[in-house]
Amino acid sequence: MVGTQQQPLQVLNALDVAKTQWYHFTAIVIAGMGFFTDAYDLFCISLVTKLLGRIYYTVPGSPTPGILPPNVSAAVNGVAFCGTLSGQLFFGWLGDKMGRKKVYGMTLMMMVLCSLASGLSFGHTPKTVMGTLCFFRFWLGFGIGGDYPLSATIMSEYANKKTRGAFIAAVFAMQGFGILAGGLIAIVISSVFRARFPSPAYAVDPAASVPPQADYVWRIILMFGSVPAGVTYYWRLKMPETARYTALVAKNAKQAAADMSKVLQVEITEEQAKSMESKNEAQYGLFSMEFLRRHGKHLLGTTMTWLLLDIAFYSQNLFQKDIFSAIGWIPKPKTMSALDELYKIARAQTLIALCGTVPGYWFTVGLIDIIGRFWIQLVGFFMMSVFMLGLALPYHHWTTSGNHIGFVVMYAFTFFFANFGPNSTTFIVPAEIFPARLRSTCHGISAASGKVGAIIGSFGFLYLAQNPDQTKTDHGYPPGIGVRNSLFLLAGCNIFGLLFTFLVPESKGKSLEEMSGENDSDETSDYYVGAEYEEYPAKRIGNSFQ
């Protein structure tokens, strides 16, 4: 019995213990470009909304520049979230039905085309421009949504067991580079147009403060998001299907042998791959009692932690305008031209990203396979709670003159521990703990739950955080509970996220089959616990992308 169990396990073991190869790093870049585009797009739209307000919603004779009305702002910023949520569910399911590779090219091409179309939004009236922009941003989000379950699943199924967490985290960390690229592109484009078309501040000459050429600026910035995604499209098509999907789900032994040989750069026979097919356990479905028994609490844990994390994570953007204005990084809008405002907002947000956002991602990459997913997520939620309470309790102290630097430091640490914490781990773990035939679907469900949290965080708290005094609210918004009380609520979300973390198992150092229960037998357990792993004896072959 043990012998028959070990043969298929040795084939899976070849994937789990394969040495880190150049192919793994290439796969990180190819898979990560979707997240680069995702972060670039979401970051850039927050930069250009101020410019859109000035171009299309300035009222002649008004003492202040135009801004997007609340409903338009919510639509422009939120429609991509709705598209992403839909795409996560749809492409997550499709990735398990059709295979990861077949669906992977679709999502990237959708991102390329819709990024271009977003910058070509038709018409010159506010209604037509915003309407077409929202339409294309929905479908852009739909493509981005598909990248979440597919990229995570593909990377988890390609990676070896020892460094799997770091590889998946590195794919997700491409978001940090996307944020930086968004800021840098906005800085460069606005600088070029400022130099070529100088314009006075709004207070000096309202009409001349928005040069006609400014309408090109936001379009170029949005369209640039298609470039990195387009560059990697060819390489995505060249990626082979993951061997685990082919053998465990599609049951194509011959193709699995060929694909495993490409991924591992070793030669594996069809007979060895055929033995792998027998490892596919009883075909229980997502809505079965058997799935509920085996993985119900795991799915509850991954969905709730991602939901609660994104409520807190996306709501943090609400405080940026107060911070930037208070410390003098961004002067009052009427003292700047439209392009000056874009430049200074991009510069400020890029500095925050560089100091608080990007380092957290790469701390996770470096430490996740040492510390483990559970402890990084648990400590991350705890530290986010601490720093949000540290902002909330003495909030009036932080907002008085002379204390703004401390506020910025505390604010940056909340971002750091989000990224060196649950923002990374909630993406990684769902790709490791569910069966191969449901892995992409369950990751999509978890990610979609997170996007619900993002919508709540971005828009629910946009209203909640308004000043209780009607005379001090942002234009067009009703009174809320204030920033201080909002911070208390967000700290509470983090504490609940910490508690739900206990439903999620630790996957560090374990094979995907161990975590998913696809090796659910005593012989299998003994084999995995007691075996001293060696790379499956095989002959080297050529580069996997040839």
Side-chain angles (χ1 to χ4, degrees):
M1 179 66 177
V2 175
T4 60
Q5 290 283 345
Q6 285 184 0
Q7 187 180 17
L9 284 169
Q10 286 176 322
V11 180
L12 297 178
N13 191 45
L15 282 167
D16 285 332
V17 303
K19 294 177 181 178
T20 299
Q21 301 166 13
W22 179 248
Y23 179 87
H24 289 117
F25 296 107
T26 309
I28 287 170
V29 175
I30 296 170
M33 274 304 132
F35 290 94
F36 183 101
T37 304
D38 174 15
Y40 180 94
D41 175 70
L42 294 178
F43 183 74
C44 282
I45 199 67
S46 67
L47 299 177
V48 303
T49 47
K50 294 280 190 183
L51 183 59
L52 290 172
R54 288 198 184 225
I55 294 171
Y56 295 107
Y57 289 93
T58 294
V59 178
S62 172
T64 56
I67 61 170
L68 295 181
N71 61 328
V72 176
S73 178
V76 169
N77 287 286
V79 71
F81 286 144
C82 297
T84 303
L85 189 157
S86 305
Q88 287 163 338
L89 293 172
F90 177 73
F91 285 115
W93 168 79
L94 202 62
D96 283 334
K97 293 298 179 185
M98 293 179 59
R100 289 63 157 127
K101 173 183 167 61
K102 289 181 181 177
V103 182
Y104 211 28
M106 299 180 201
T107 61
L108 197 71
M109 184 49 62
M110 187 171 286
M111 283 188 274
V112 170
L113 295 176
C114 292
S115 289
L116 291 171
S118 294
L120 297 173
S121 296
F122 314 123
H124 295 284
T125 65
K127 187 174 182 179
T128 54
V129 172
M130 297 304 145
T132 53
L133 177 60
C134 288
F135 175 81
F136 290 123
R137 280 185 57 75
F138 174 86
W139 292 108
L140 174 62
F142 194 72
I144 288 170
D147 239 52
Y148 276 74
L150 292 170
S151 291
T153 300
I154 285 172
M155 202 67 238
S156 73
E157 293 179 347
Y158 278 157
N160 60 57
K161 184 170 60 174
K162 183 178 178 182
T163 57
R164 185 178 64 234
F167 286 166
I168 305 172
V171 170
F172 193 62
M174 293 296 285
Q175 284 192 332
F177 291 125
I179 291 170
L180 285 179
L184 292 173
I185 293 298
I187 289 170
V188 170
I189 299 298
S190 60
S191 297
V192 169
F193 275 77
R194 285 167 74 206
R196 184 68 180 83
F197 308 103
S199 51
Y202 184 87
V204 176
D205 188 340
S209 70
V210 186
Q213 295 81 7
D215 196 46
Y216 293 110
V217 173
W218 69 269
R219 297 176 187 273
I220 293 171
I221 291 171
L222 291 185
M223 292 170 71
F224 190 84
S226 65
V227 174
V231 167
T232 56
Y233 181 72
Y234 168 79
W235 298 107
R236 248 187 212 204
L237 295 182
K238 292 284 287 182
M239 291 180 81
E241 180 60 85
T242 71
R244 279 186 162 98
Y245 179 87
T246 306
L248 292 175
V249 183
K251 293 189 175 184
N252 186 335
K254 184 176 181 180
Q255 189 62 47
D259 289 344
M260 289 178 76
S261 297
K262 289 179 181 180
V263 173
L264 295 174
Q265 295 185 18
V266 298
E267 188 170 349
I268 296 172
T269 67
E270 183 178 344
E271 287 70 28
Q272 291 167 346
K274 275 183 177 178
S275 70
M276 191 173 168
E277 290 180 5
S278 66
K279 278 307 296 164
N280 206 5
E281 80 284 8
Q283 297 291 304
Y284 58 85
L286 179 65
F287 300 105
S288 67
M289 290 303 296
E290 185 65 15
F291 178 87
L292 183 65
R293 182 182 70 82
R294 291 178 180 233
H295 299 291
K297 73 173 185 178
H298 300 158
L299 187 58
L300 177 63
T302 58
T303 54
M304 289 305 299
T305 51
W306 209 333
L307 171 77
L308 292 161
L309 174 275
D310 275 5
I311 290 174
F313 185 79
Y314 282 88
S315 64
Q316 290 181 92
N317 296 326
L318 302 177
F319 316 128
Q320 287 189 359
K321 66 179 189 302
D322 298 324
I323 295 170
F324 296 155
S325 299
I327 63 179
W329 284 0
I330 302 178
K332 292 186 180 298
K334 66 180 181 181
T335 65
M336 299 179 285
S337 70
L339 295 177
D340 286 339
E341 185 178 38
L342 172 62
Y343 172 82
K344 289 176 180 177
I345 291 173
R347 183 183 62 182
Q349 293 197 7
T350 302
L351 285 171
I352 286 286
L354 192 61
C355 297
T357 304
V358 175
Y361 284 122
W362 293 99
F363 266 76
T364 302
V365 173
L367 295 174
I368 190 164
D369 288 312
I370 299 171
I371 299 173
R373 289 75 160 147
F374 176 82
W375 284 108
I376 288 179
Q377 184 162 308
L378 199 72
V379 173
F381 270 127
F382 176 76
M383 296 305 294
M384 287 176 71
S385 303
V386 169
F387 282 108
M388 284 193 169
L389 289 173
L391 289 171
L393 287 168
Y395 182 72
H396 299 297
H397 166 79
W398 294 122
T399 53
T400 55
S401 179
N403 300 319
H404 300 128
I405 298 301
F407 193 109
V408 173
V409 172
M410 298 279 281
Y411 178 75
F413 269 115
T414 59
F415 265 114
F416 174 81
F417 280 106
N419 292 312
F420 180 40
N423 193 38
S424 296
T425 55
T426 52
F427 174 79
I428 295 165
V429 174
E432 299 181 308
I433 63 176
F434 298 107
R437 69 184 182 283
L438 299 172
R439 187 169 290 137
S440 180
T441 301
C442 291
H443 194 285
I445 292 170
S446 302
S449 177
K451 272 302 170 270
V452 172
I455 293 168
I456 295 170
S458 297
F459 305 107
F461 277 86
L462 184 61
Y463 286 86
L464 275 177
Q466 293 296 320
N467 197 296
D469 185 347
Q470 176 69 67
T471 61
K472 297 181 181 178
T473 62
D474 292 340
H475 180 71
Y477 290 90
I481 62 174
V483 172
R484 184 170 185 264
N485 290 327
S486 296
L487 282 166
F488 281 121
L489 281 179
L490 295 172
C493 288
N494 292 325
I495 291 169
F496 276 109
L498 184 152
L499 296 175
F500 275 105
T501 297
F502 287 95
L503 296 179
V504 182
E506 175 59 75
S507 50
K508 182 187 77 168
K510 297 180 180 178
S511 74
L512 297 179
E513 288 67 42
E514 274 184 285
M515 293 308 303
S516 65
E518 287 165 300
N519 288 334
D520 212 5
S521 70
D522 293 337
E523 293 89 353
T524 297
S525 300
D526 292 341
Y527 174 79
Y528 266 97
V529 172
E532 293 183 5
Y533 295 114
E534 297 178 359
E535 186 170 347
Y536 197 90
K539 183 177 71 176
R540 291 278 172 191
I541 61 173
N543 185 281
S544 55
F545 277 124
Q546 292 176 350

